[in-house]
Amino acid sequence: MSRSAAGSQSALREANTAKIVDAVKRFGGLTQVELAEATALSAATISAIVKELSLTGLVETRPTSRSGRRAQLVTMARRSGLVIAAHVTARAIRVRIADTAQEILEERRLPLPPDHPMDTVLDRTAVLIFEMLQMIGSEPDELLGVCLTIPAPIDPATGMITFSGLMPGWEDAPIAPILSQRLGCPVIVENDANMAALAEATLGAARGVADSITVLASDGTGAGIVIDSRLHRGADGTAGEIGHIQIDPQGQICRCGLRGCLDTVVGANALLAPLRSHYGNLTFRDVVSQAAAGDQGCRRVVADAGSTIGRVVAGLAQGIGTGLIVVGGELAQAGDAFFDAFSTAVREHVNTGRHREMVIMQSTLPPDSVLAGALVEIIQTTDVLQRFEERT
Ligand SMILES: [Zn+2]
């Protein structure tokens, strides 16, 4: 074999290795047959490369079964490093540590005060992460990367919040570099609804579907859009930011500065206000759990919100031409009170044509799918192969 032929063969092998590692990183674990489908490589190539990767300790194989037949499941090995997903909401931060096989090793929730300032939250997050690492007997140098998600659109070019008014004290700040400095590892910042959509597209109801919308209905509402199997962020990261679509021209002024946004009508404060005279001071979580338990007043409020969000999402689905909508988030946990009103409103306001059916599903992923999506994103964007070679 000539030198150039040998060179191009090793380049090909390297490219095929990267393809296999990328597929395993994305889906968390695949059989060799599924790997062949995902990478379009031959069974022989996959078998040879998987064997080589398991000898180096980057991936592990274990027996499993698919459709009653025995198969080998290929996953990333635990010692290839640790990744972290952190989800900041209006009231808390949730942190999850996992290995690159997406196996969860530790998870904690820390309540936050209203209008929490960024510096304090990032400080507390770093302290919490170091505590959690200690709990699982790991060192900070095992950290490959962190994906921090927040309820605001992020400009992919700068990593900074696109809109002003949504998270005062967090805007105009380089969030990722600040946390990265505290932790000593790479950090990326992402919008929470986008990560919920990524979770559905890789692990959930939208897996294998080219075009889908995932709605994250919590104390604010957002959506993530997947087009041609890729997350669509839009030029400045505002794609799917449905919480700030105007639905009431005479409505309240929103914290974003516009009037009558969806969030002013279905946000936590708007849902709690009409209940106050009769129920006293309920929290957002109380309303969701009481609606799920059948309380009529709470069900009314949740159903009206579902109906309003459904009308907006119908417009988005019509505009994109998607046939699948997945709904998740804390408000969606109210169950059929929310979901039935939402689905009815979508179906009433969307025209899918004669040959396409609109499928509307509740998320079947465990609660806080945002964290699952954030893990997928940080594993995908981290060069695990290179970091692994550096450390071994
Ligand atoms: Zn707004």
Side-chain angles (χ1 to χ4, degrees):
M1 193 185 291
S2 74
R3 188 176 296 177
S4 69
S8 69
Q9 208 162 54
S10 87
L12 182 67
R13 187 157 179 107
E14 232 169 75
N16 288 345
T17 304
K19 263 189 205 170
I20 291 173
V21 172
D22 279 348
V24 176
K25 275 160 59 179
R26 186 176 170 88
F27 296 106
L30 293 171
T31 65
Q32 301 211 13
V33 173
E34 289 165 341
L35 265 175
E37 277 166 24
T39 59
L41 296 173
S42 74
T45 304
I46 287 172
S47 166
I49 292 176
V50 165
K51 201 169 178 183
E52 189 181 282
L53 288 173
S54 41
L55 282 175
T56 65
L58 183 66
V59 304
E60 286 169 356
T61 58
R62 61 170 183 270
T64 182
S65 71
R66 284 284 193 275
S67 323
R69 297 182 58 184
R70 278 194 296 183
Q72 286 286 319
L73 188 71
V74 184
T75 61
M76 300 300 290
R78 159 122 195 238
R79 55 183 280 256
S80 62
L82 300 176
V83 283
I84 290 182
H87 182 194
V88 177
T89 68
R91 291 161 287 125
I93 180 162
R94 201 182 280 274
V95 177
R96 177 180 292 178
I97 300 186
D99 62 15
T100 50
Q102 297 177 21
E103 190 176 327
I104 300 168
L105 304 171
E106 182 74 8
E107 185 165 328
R108 296 261 203 101
R109 180 182 183 273
L110 190 72
L112 296 174
D115 292 325
H116 39 66
M118 183 191 71
D119 270 340
T120 322
V121 173
L122 296 186
D123 275 341
R124 285 190 192 178
T125 304
V127 170
L128 181 64
I129 286 174
F130 289 133
E131 270 176 29
M132 290 169 71
L133 285 172
Q134 215 168 23
M135 290 279 296
I136 59 168
S138 292
E139 298 294 329
D141 75 343
E142 289 175 58
L143 274 183
L144 296 174
V146 175
C147 178
L148 179 81
T149 67
I150 60 175
I154 304 295
D155 186 337
T158 61
M160 296 188 13
I161 295 176
T162 313
F163 286 4
S164 56
L166 301 192
M167 291 181 75
W170 289 69
E171 289 146 14
D172 305 316
I175 304 166
I178 294 173
L179 186 59
S180 173
Q181 205 196 9
R182 302 237 201 317
L183 295 172
C185 75
V187 174
I188 55 173
V189 180
E190 290 281 355
N191 169 260
D192 55 2
N194 282 350
M195 292 302 100
L198 186 62
E200 297 298 342
T202 44
L203 311 165
R207 182 170 174 170
V209 178
D211 304 319
S212 62
I213 293 172
T214 295
V215 179
L216 187 68
S218 289
D219 42 17
T221 296
I225 301 166
V226 170
I227 297 176
D228 287 340
S229 304
R230 298 191 80 85
L231 188 62
H232 175 73
R233 292 181 167 85
D236 55 0
T238 57
E241 196 60 27
I242 57 172
H244 300 281
I245 288 178
Q246 189 190 58
I247 59 156
D248 181 3
Q250 268 81 52
Q252 310 263 329
I253 299 295
C254 178
R255 59 210 161 102
C256 76
L258 300 176
R259 185 188 284 277
C261 293
L262 179 64
D263 267 1
T264 65
V265 180
V266 302
N269 290 337
L271 298 193
L272 295 175
L275 291 165
R276 204 157 285 137
S277 61
H278 188 60
Y279 289 78
N281 281 330
L282 291 181
T283 65
F284 178 68
R285 279 182 145 186
D286 294 337
V287 176
V288 171
S289 59
Q290 292 198 26
D295 178 89
Q296 286 304 317
C298 292
R299 282 178 73 86
R300 182 74 267 144
V301 162
V302 166
D304 288 347
S307 184
T308 307
I309 296 170
R311 283 208 307 276
V312 173
V313 172
L316 184 64
Q318 185 84 60
I320 294 170
T322 178
L324 175 63
I325 298 169
V326 186
V327 194
E330 274 186 271
L331 191 55
Q333 284 164 20
D336 63 348
F338 179 87
F339 187 73
D340 292 351
F342 174 85
S343 324
T344 304
V346 172
R347 291 188 200 287
E348 272 175 12
H349 292 88
V350 79
N351 185 350
T352 53
R354 285 179 298 151
H355 304 296
R356 192 159 55 88
E357 205 190 329
M358 179 62 78
V359 179
I360 306 167
M361 296 176 75
Q362 273 177 299
S363 173
T364 52
L365 293 173
D368 213 346
S369 59
V370 172
L371 290 174
L375 284 181
V376 169
E377 181 67 14
I378 190 66
I379 292 169
Q380 270 186 288
T381 54
T382 306
D383 195 341
V384 178
L385 203 56
Q386 197 196 333
R387 289 290 303 264
F388 182 73
E389 279 161 6
E390 282 167 11
R391 291 180 52 225
T392 50

